[in-house]
Structures are given as structure tokens and as C-alpha cells.
Amino acid sequence: MVLKKITFPRFILYVIILAMATCPAFAIKDDRPALLDTLMMFFPLILLFNLSYYKYEALLALFIITIFLFPPLFNSENLRWSTIFYSSLYCMAFMSYRRVFNKSGFTIEQYCRLLKLIIYAYFVVLLIQQFCVLVGLPVFLINAYNPTNPWKLNSLAMEPSHTARFVPLLMYSYITIKEIGVKKKYNLKSDFNKDKYIWIAFFWTMITMGSGTAFLFIPIVLLKFLRGRNIVYMALLAILLFFIAYQILPDTIKRTNDTFFATLTLEENKIIEADGSAAYRIVPMMIVAKNVELTKLKGWFGHGIDSSEQLLTETGRLLAAPDKLVGGGMFQLWYEYGFISFVLFVVFSALMCWRKGDWLSVVFWFFLVFMYGINNQMVWITIILLYTNKRFAKLQLKQ
């Protein structure tokens, strides 16, 4: 009986992490993670059978209440219940994860193996896709593919730019959890030799997938080692990786560089000119941020569901954007649901993700939570993994 109590929660835990951390082509429908969406419909059952209360969960519960109350009370003309229920399902998925984590007997060693397995899976699928492109076969598990850019491949995510975010997050968590397990900093000499295959999988995936986003996140992961003598090694490694990447993907590197400097100008047109793909993640956030406010009722209770899309569509025409602008990150949450909902979710997610003494947890939170909307698996796998890292760190301190 004890074995059953441990095994089933652990199985559910694995399902949640794997479903959140991947989105293979067969699991996609209408540009949505259909398999994850289906699984999330069953997660509320976990809450029904486990009514325990966890610290800080009141923030998430209050957030759910506000997104159910504010739209019908203040913006009934823009009401769409399906969006609200979808947001609440993601919230309940995290609540379910917390409960199965506490009952699963999940260990650091098991977590470490799971992270390695997912990173290797991304690597292997990308290798198969690259082989298919090389020999002219139909590409395995392909999605969001452009034949004019044949080497830009999605691996196990919905699109290449998602892989460029998932894999660094997984690698960062792997390094972090190894440090927590042995209670010392990751040593580039000894630990790198032990982990050489996972590092090869990481660098190959990031450098050869064809996404410019990868070249933003490689340095972020390497910042984990920016201390003492490692600074020299990191500088040399960064130069070497830049040289290799430039030889393989010169256009991608140039776009990434142009986008970085264009973003520093805070001028929307320049960012769109530099790289349209990257601009449609950066520019909407800038525009919506300029339009949030606290001096009016709508600033506190929102303009209504999809109001940010209407704002961005009008602005996109003025900017002559080739495609429809959507998004806005967490500022979209503020604009549509109001400042109260925004604060509740931002504070909740920060408390779950930020770990004392690890400033990179804040960096990942900013890039993968704050810069996205709440109805995105990227946000929730980030919260889940950073929360898991934090929980294991606290458990180790007690030992």
C-alpha cells in the first residue's frame, strides 16, 4: 500500500513535467498543445481528492477569483469564458503538481535523471530531423517549418524558438540540482568531464537548431559559472561558440545582433526592421506597457479580454508590421484584467521561482514568465522547474 501511494503520485508528476516541457508535432492542434490541454482537464480531480492548503497558494486562488469576477463585472462586452477557464486550468495544474510532489517521494537523483532524459530527447529528435533534411526525407515530427530555411527545426517543441527556451531552462535546472545535491558549486573541470555527453547534447541542440533565440540563452546558462578563474574560461568559450555559430548560421547571428542593438533604442520600427520574428515578442510588450495605467478604473480592473490584441492591431498598422502583432507579456495581463490580477500573479510567480543566492532564477523568470502571457506552457514549465529547484534546495538545508 505504501508503494502504491508513492508510485502513482510520482507517475502523475512525470506526466505533468513531460507534458509541460515538450510539445511534439503529433500533440499539436490549431497551434495549441492539444495533448497538454486534454491532460489539464483531469488535473482538477487531484485537487478534489487533496484539499490541503499550501503557503502562498492563496495568491493564486485570489488571482483565479479576480479573472472570473472582473471581466463580467467591468467588461461584459468582451467576455469569453473559455479563455478564463483555460487560464484557471493552468493554475490548477500547478496546484496539482505541488500536491503530487509532496506525496511522490520524488528524489534529487530522479529529478536529475528526468532532466537529462528530456534534454537528450530534444537532442535525438533534432538529430533525426537534421538527417531527414540532409537526405531529403519527410522531416520527422516537424512543425512551424519553412522550406526556405530548412535547418531551422523545432525538435520536440512547437517551434524552434520554443526549443531555444526549453532546453536552456532544463540545462540550468540540471546544473542547479546537481549543485544542490552535493552542496557545492558546479566545477567546470571535474563536473564537465562527468557530464560531457549532456553538454554535447545541449550545445549541439542550441547551436544547430537555427534559432537566433538560442544565442541569447547560451550565455545566460554560462553565466552560472561566471566566478573567479572561470571568467577567463567563459570568455574563451564564448568567443569559440560565437565563431562556430557564425560559421554555421551567419544570417541568424547577424539578426540576433541587430535585434539586440535595435531593442536598446526602444524604437518599435527599428526592432521590426532588424528581425520581424523577434520583434513580434519584444514590440507588443513595449506597446502594451506604454498603455497600462493606475489613474483610471480600467487600469485597476482591465479593458477586457482581447483588448490588448485590438490595441496591438491598430499600432501594428501604424508601424507597417507585415504580420498581426499579438502578446504583451505580463503587461497584457494588466491591460486586460487589471492591476490587481497582475500584481497577484507576478508576486505569486516570483515567490515560486526566485531562489535566494541564485540571481539566474530571476533572469529565467523574467525571460520565460514575465515576458509571456499566462496561457502558455512556457510560463508554467518555468514556474514548475524553478519551484522544484527551490523546494529541493530547502529540503537539503534541513538535512
Side-chain angles (χ1 to χ4, degrees), residues 243 306 333:
F243 176 77
D306 290 338
L333 178 63

Side-chain angles (χ1 to χ4, degrees), residues 110-125:
Q110 290 164 346
Y111 182 42
C112 203
R113 285 197 295 269
L114 180 60
L115 292 171
K116 284 179 72 172
L117 173 68
I118 301 172
I119 294 169
Y120 280 134
Y122 269 98
F123 168 66
V124 170
V125 171

Side-chain angles (χ1 to χ4, degrees), residues 149 210-213 215 249-257 275:
N149 194 358
S211 173
T213 305
F215 299 103
L249 301 162
D251 292 338
T252 300
I253 294 296
K254 184 180 182 303
R255 286 199 312 273
T256 303
N257 185 67
D275 185 350

Side-chain angles (χ1 to χ4, degrees), residues 96-244:
S96 301
Y97 177 80
R98 289 189 72 169
R99 282 155 178 75
V100 296
F101 179 91
N102 289 339
K103 293 181 176 294
S104 66
F106 195 43
T107 66
I108 283 180
E109 292 73 23
Q110 290 164 346
Y111 182 42
C112 203
R113 285 197 295 269
L114 180 60
L115 292 171
K116 284 179 72 172
L117 173 68
I118 301 172
I119 294 169
Y120 280 134
Y122 269 98
F123 168 66
V124 170
V125 171
L126 180 64
L127 277 181
I128 295 170
Q129 290 179 335
Q130 290 169 334
F131 176 77
C132 292
V133 173
L134 185 65
V135 300
L137 291 172
V139 184
F140 177 66
L141 289 180
I142 199 64
N143 192 62
Y145 186 63
N146 184 353
T148 62
N149 194 358
W151 297 102
K152 190 170 184 178
L153 300 161
N154 63 297
S155 186
L156 276 176
M158 192 174 291
E159 59 181 78
S161 66
H162 287 195
T163 297
R165 291 168 170 83
F166 280 126
V167 173
L169 173 66
L170 291 161
M171 192 67 191
Y172 158 78
S173 296
Y174 174 75
I175 298 163
T176 299
I177 210 63
K178 287 205 72 175
E179 290 181 336
I180 292 169
V182 297
K183 297 183 180 180
K184 67 175 185 178
K185 294 290 185 182
Y186 193 94
N187 186 285
L188 274 178
K189 275 190 175 181
S190 59
D191 291 323
F192 189 92
N193 286 332
K194 293 175 186 175
D195 291 328
K196 56 180 175 291
Y197 295 117
I198 198 71
W199 279 107
I200 289 169
F202 169 72
F203 281 125
W204 180 273
T205 303
M206 297 297 286
I207 292 172
T208 67
M209 76 174 69
S211 173
T213 305
F215 299 103
L216 168 66
F217 279 93
I218 291 174
I220 290 175
V221 173
L222 295 180
L223 284 173
K224 184 79 175 163
F225 312 107
L226 200 63
R227 58 181 182 268
R229 295 179 182 178
N230 288 344
I231 293 175
V232 176
Y233 297 127
M234 287 299 97
L236 292 173
L237 180 59
I239 293 169
L240 176 62
L241 290 173
F242 180 83
F243 176 77
I244 294 171

Side-chain angles (χ1 to χ4, degrees), residues 279-289 291-292 306-313 323-336 370-376:
Y280 299 134
R281 294 176 178 84
I282 300 168
V283 172
M285 188 171 180
M286 292 170 60
I287 294 169
V288 178
N291 285 274
V292 295
D306 290 338
S307 56
S308 63
E309 186 175 326
Q310 296 165 14
L311 170 69
L312 291 169
T313 300
D323 295 314
K324 183 173 68 172
L325 292 176
V326 292
M330 283 299 141
F331 290 113
Q332 178 186 12
L333 178 63
W334 182 344
Y335 191 82
E336 294 191 358
F370 193 82
M371 289 191 69
Y372 278 81
I374 58 168
N375 288 353
N376 192 301

